[in-house]
Amino acid sequence: MVEIKSEKPAEKAEPETKTEAEKKPTSKDKEAESKTDEADKALAEQSLAQRLQALDVRERLAQLMLVTLEGKPGPNATDREFLLRYAPGGVIIPSVLYPITACDYITKLRSMPLEAMTGIPMLIGTNLYSLPRPAADELPTTFVPMPSLLALAAANDPDITQRVSVFAANHLKAMGFNFHLGPSLTFAPTLPEIKGSLDCLGSDPHFVADSGCAILKTFEDNGILGLPMGFPGGALNKKGQGPAVLLTPAALLEEEDLLPFKRAIDQGTSIIHVGNILTPTLSKDDLPASMSPAVMRDLLREKLGFKGVIVAGPMDAQELALNYDPSVAAEKALAAGADMLLWNQAGRRVMRAVDQIAAGIAERRVPQERVDAALERGMRLKEEKELAGRPMPVPKEAEALSRMRDLPKEVYEIERRSIALVQNRGDILPLNKTKSMPVGITGVVGVEPLKEALTKYLKHISSHEIATAKHGGEIYDFEIDRITKRIAGLRTMVLILTPDIRVSTQARLINAIQARGVVVVAVLVGYPDTLPKISGAEAIVLSYCRPHQMDLSMKAVADVLVGQAPIGVSPYLAEIKTTVGKAESYSVLDVVRAPSGMLPVTIEPPYIAGLSVPYDPTFSLTKTLWEFGDGTKSKEIRAEHAFKAAGRYPITLTVEDKKDHSTTRTFYAVVE
């Protein structure tokens, strides 16, 4: 039981500075050191629950807090004050520039009093997709760029998902993190005019469930606790400062928004995040999910059978602040079923929330047993994941992450698999020396990386970066005039677009270029919500990368533009039916596509999830191998084969592209 005390813990006095003579070890020092070793041994034999009982009430309640630190190279003054007075159950490091910085940061955190003196470990996490996010005035990061979750959805390949998950888990482990804020299991937004996120796995419930669970399992197998984000769904249906809204009818929830979370629970996930989402189709209490007993207790606990830790919030988010004081929101969330409370900042807001909850327990607004259950779940999670006593991060391992030469090649290959062609009027792509030259490139971002990559295939490419748009948020008329005056003689203009720039001005630039008789190939970078408004371009290529991670993505885009795209193999929708002795024709061209990426979200018709407009795959195809499961093989693009005996046979197709990357898919034939 948590014993309530009215007074705050006494502030610790600053230690006095010792002289050099006083620093020399004495017999008393050695005796004290021996007693310390004995105390450490006794502490190690205690359970985390026993260690928890040694703390006062506010220190225990602080164990329910998961806070985001503000300092970048390390905890700042506000962070340190909070960590020393109210050491939380977990912290999030939002961004750093270098892997070694994260390693040093975590070493400092784990050396602070709570873990060092009590042996109670903190959850120390981040979102690896946003961790290396430099500000405009900072030096470039040395992190290898992570392919976005939306890129994984566009590639739609279990092998790609597995490779990225291992890559991410190894990075987190080397830096010293023990948990990851994600993956998000909420779908792309369904409301119009809403800006989507690259940190989602698309619109297909089964793909989100399969890929999300694969990522969580890979993290778990590598010692990283994954926190599935966004229960019960609808987290991206958010306009402006208001809350997100889950609009899926209750009858469809189990097969749609709840499916990925249910699969994660069945797989054994031990922690789930509940967002500040309004759920009118689930409950009539008009409360956000993070404060709703109907969502956390009735749905998540009772109906879905989740027994792990529920993380609710953020409690200091803007959408909650419109109606609730953060301390009141925190108290209500805990009373409604949350076990840990997520915060966007550390500091006095969280301190006040701890005091509010302590008062709520004393005044019986927050049931004592509710707090005890939350603390018990948190301690059990840390024990089951063996967080106590984990070795400190090794600086050499973190430094090595910036020098791993094979990783950029791996990321480049993954980016190639995700690039999608969704419009190709008049077969403008692939570009070639006969019909496309001369070629120019313009845009707000990525112009030089794309020019460098394309020059390896097509010589004498002109370029112009629209620098003013980065600051003004739109392409000004004088820039449009400047570009159109310079394009005389060009046949094709590759225009790199981004949703961050006012789309109406980008559409105007497309029209102005076409008015000069030049064909436009639009390369849309980021979340593709502006697709319908740039549909005037003859060809549209999608890259799901962030603007500060352009180099490898533009290299992958160049491959697609010139016909050196990777090859995807589509599955047969049903087993192949045939009879003994009957010769059947098996054509590579029936099942392969290039480029291999697709549109993973629905924007509006005709731009719906699953859209892919392939060009002739023979531009990219170099090798073919059919294996028919009966010992027979063929290297022909169109193979003839008759089975000699009845049975069910695996037919395996392996294709290789011009970059020596192979793709394999197995089909099945039932022979009667």
Side-chain angles (χ1 to χ4, degrees):
M1 299 287 286
V2 177
E3 182 184 355
I4 302 300
K5 300 179 183 178
S6 59
E7 73 279 1
K8 289 187 178 181
E11 302 244 355
K12 297 178 182 178
E14 291 292 326
E16 295 180 3
T17 304
K18 293 183 178 182
T19 65
E20 288 301 317
E22 289 174 319
K23 289 179 183 177
K24 293 181 180 179
T26 64
S27 58
K28 289 184 178 180
D29 291 332
K30 292 178 181 178
E31 183 180 347
E33 189 175 315
S34 176
K35 289 181 178 179
T36 300
D37 291 340
E38 292 176 6
D40 289 343
K41 183 178 179 182
L43 181 64
E45 293 173 353
Q46 291 181 334
S47 69
L48 293 186
Q50 290 172 320
R51 298 175 195 178
L52 185 69
Q53 293 305 311
L55 306 180
D56 66 42
V57 62
R58 284 173 175 78
E59 288 173 325
R60 274 179 270 183
L61 291 176
Q63 283 295 296
L64 306 178
M65 307 298 154
L66 178 58
V67 302
T68 304
L69 302 179
E70 296 179 67
K72 278 197 174 181
N76 64 16
T78 302
D79 295 335
R80 287 194 296 272
E81 179 190 9
F82 174 75
L83 291 167
L84 290 170
R85 294 182 61 191
Y86 290 78
V91 297
I92 296 163
I93 298 174
S95 64
V96 293
L97 274 179
Y98 314 114
I100 187 62
T101 310
C103 174
D104 293 342
Y105 204 138
I106 291 169
T107 301
K108 291 174 186 175
L109 288 172
R110 292 188 56 190
S111 301
M112 297 188 83
L114 179 71
E115 183 166 342
M117 295 175 64
T118 69
I120 298 177
M122 284 191 295
L123 291 169
I124 303 178
T126 192
N127 182 341
L128 192 55
Y129 294 99
S130 59
L131 183 68
R133 186 170 292 176
D137 58 345
E138 291 179 325
L139 295 171
T141 178
T142 60
F143 281 89
V144 175
M146 281 286 296
S148 68
L149 290 180
L150 203 62
L152 298 188
N156 193 22
D157 185 329
D159 178 58
I160 293 291
T161 301
Q162 174 70 12
R163 284 155 60 185
V164 171
S165 303
V166 172
F167 169 57
N170 289 340
H171 269 58
L172 291 164
K173 195 171 181 179
M175 289 182 283
F177 291 103
N178 55 34
F179 94 98
H180 184 263
L181 210 64
S184 170
L185 298 186
T186 194
F187 302 156
T190 55
L191 292 175
E193 304 300 324
I194 289 184
K195 187 176 178 61
S197 170
L198 291 173
D199 293 327
C200 81
L201 286 164
S203 299
D204 182 343
H206 293 281
F207 179 85
V208 175
D210 291 345
S211 298
C213 288
I215 293 169
L216 290 169
K217 185 178 187 307
T218 302
F219 281 177
E220 183 83 15
D221 292 346
N222 287 274
I224 300 296
L225 181 63
L227 174 59
M229 300 291 289
F231 186 88
L236 294 177
N237 284 334
K238 178 179 170 63
K239 286 187 177 181
Q241 298 180 359
V245 185
L246 175 62
L247 297 173
T248 307
L252 301 178
L253 277 171
E254 285 195 35
E255 291 303 315
E256 294 190 12
D257 296 79
L258 295 181
L259 179 66
F261 295 100
K262 180 65 167 67
R263 289 270 301 276
I265 292 168
D266 293 344
Q267 183 175 280
T269 191
S270 50
I271 187 168
I272 284 179
H273 166 256
V274 176
N276 302 327
I277 303 156
L278 296 180
T279 57
T281 64
L282 271 175
S283 65
K284 304 301 180 186
D285 56 18
D286 201 31
L287 291 169
S290 59
M291 298 163 59
S292 172
V295 173
M296 291 190 284
R297 185 189 63 211
D298 301 345
L299 176 60
L300 186 51
R301 288 275 185 231
E302 295 181 11
K303 187 172 182 178
L304 298 183
F306 180 60
K307 300 184 185 304
V309 173
I310 296 176
V311 178
M315 293 291 104
D316 52 349
Q318 214 167 23
E319 62 267 15
L320 288 189
L322 296 172
N323 298 300
Y324 303 95
D325 178 271
S327 299
V328 174
E331 180 185 310
K332 288 183 177 295
L334 186 61
D339 300 309
M340 294 190 79
L341 305 176
L342 177 62
W343 298 85
N344 285 327
Q345 293 180 335
R348 299 196 179 277
R349 282 183 182 175
V350 190
M351 295 180 194
R352 284 198 300 270
V354 170
D355 294 341
Q356 173 87 12
I357 294 168
I361 298 171
E363 297 167 13
R364 301 183 184 279
R365 298 191 306 272
V366 180
Q368 176 73 60
E369 58 271 18
R370 175 79 276 284
V371 176
D372 292 339
L375 286 167
E376 192 275 333
R377 283 195 189 96
M379 292 301 107
R380 185 171 67 238
L381 174 71
K382 292 179 179 182
E383 283 191 327
E384 288 176 352
K385 304 306 174 186
E386 299 179 340
L387 301 188
R390 281 196 181 189
M392 287 287 193
V394 179
K396 286 184 178 179
E397 293 180 6
E399 284 180 331
L401 297 178
S402 299
R403 301 193 301 269
M404 298 179 76
R405 295 181 179 179
D406 290 340
L407 287 180
K409 182 179 178 181
E410 174 83 352
V411 173
Y412 157 61
E413 187 54 53
I414 292 168
E415 290 284 357
R416 288 182 74 233
R417 307 291 299 173
S418 71
I419 304 299
L421 177 60
V422 295
Q423 190 159 290
N424 193 22
R425 289 198 294 263
D427 292 328
I428 297 303
L429 295 181
L431 302 175
N432 62 50
K433 296 176 182 178
T434 303
K435 69 175 182 179
S436 310
M437 294 298 286
V439 173
I441 303 174
T442 190
V444 180
V445 293
V447 172
E448 286 309 309
L450 182 56
K451 179 181 179 181
E452 181 180 349
L454 267 183
T455 302
K456 295 179 181 178
Y457 302 111
L458 306 171
K459 304 299 182 185
H460 310 301
I461 295 175
S462 62
S463 65
H464 171 72
E465 184 171 300
I466 311 172
T468 55
K470 293 181 182 178
H471 308 290
E474 64 178 281
I475 301 174
Y476 297 105
D477 288 342
F478 76 86
E479 287 281 20
I480 295 176
D481 291 340
R482 180 187 301 174
I483 292 166
T484 53
K485 287 176 181 177
R486 292 181 175 182
I487 63 175
L490 292 184
R491 284 191 184 181
T492 309
M493 175 65 83
V494 179
L495 178 56
I496 306 174
L497 307 175
T498 167
D500 298 330
I501 303 300
R502 188 175 300 170
V503 67
S504 60
T505 63
Q506 296 183 97
R508 197 159 68 243
L509 177 57
I510 292 173
N511 293 336
I513 293 171
Q514 290 172 327
R516 294 297 183 100
V518 178
V519 168
V520 174
V521 176
V523 177
L524 181 56
V525 174
Y527 190 86
D529 52 341
T530 58
L531 253 177
K533 296 179 180 178
I534 63 166
S535 60
E538 281 81 0
I540 302 177
V541 174
L542 304 180
S543 170
Y544 308 96
C545 73
R546 294 175 174 83
H548 64 280
Q549 297 178 338
M550 298 289 292
D551 290 8
L552 292 176
S553 295
M554 289 300 102
K555 186 178 177 184
V557 166
D559 292 344
V560 168
L561 292 179
V562 299
Q564 301 227 5
I567 300 171
V569 183
S570 303
Y572 274 103
L573 298 179
E575 291 182 332
I576 301 165
K577 303 288 186 181
T578 186
T579 57
V580 173
K582 182 181 179 181
E584 299 280 4
S585 177
Y586 301 89
S587 174
V588 169
L589 301 182
D590 290 340
V591 292
V592 301
R593 67 184 187 279
S596 59
M598 66 176 188
L599 177 62
V601 298
T602 293
I603 308 300
E604 64 177 57
Y607 305 111
I608 60 174
L611 176 64
S612 174
V613 180
Y615 47 58
D616 185 349
T618 57
F619 285 117
S620 301
L621 186 64
T622 57
K623 293 181 182 178
T624 299
L625 177 63
W626 292 98
E627 297 175 89
F628 290 100
D630 59 359
T632 307
K633 299 180 181 181
S634 173
K635 295 182 179 180
E636 300 298 323
I637 289 180
R638 185 181 297 275
E640 296 280 339
H641 184 68
F643 290 94
K644 297 179 179 179
R648 185 171 183 264
Y649 294 87
I651 302 177
T652 301
L653 171 63
T654 302
V655 292
E656 189 172 295
D657 63 30
K658 289 182 178 177
K659 297 290 183 179
D660 299 325
H661 183 275
S662 63
T663 303
T664 298
R665 177 82 72 170
T666 298
F667 318 104
Y668 288 89
V670 177
V671 183
E672 298 176 347

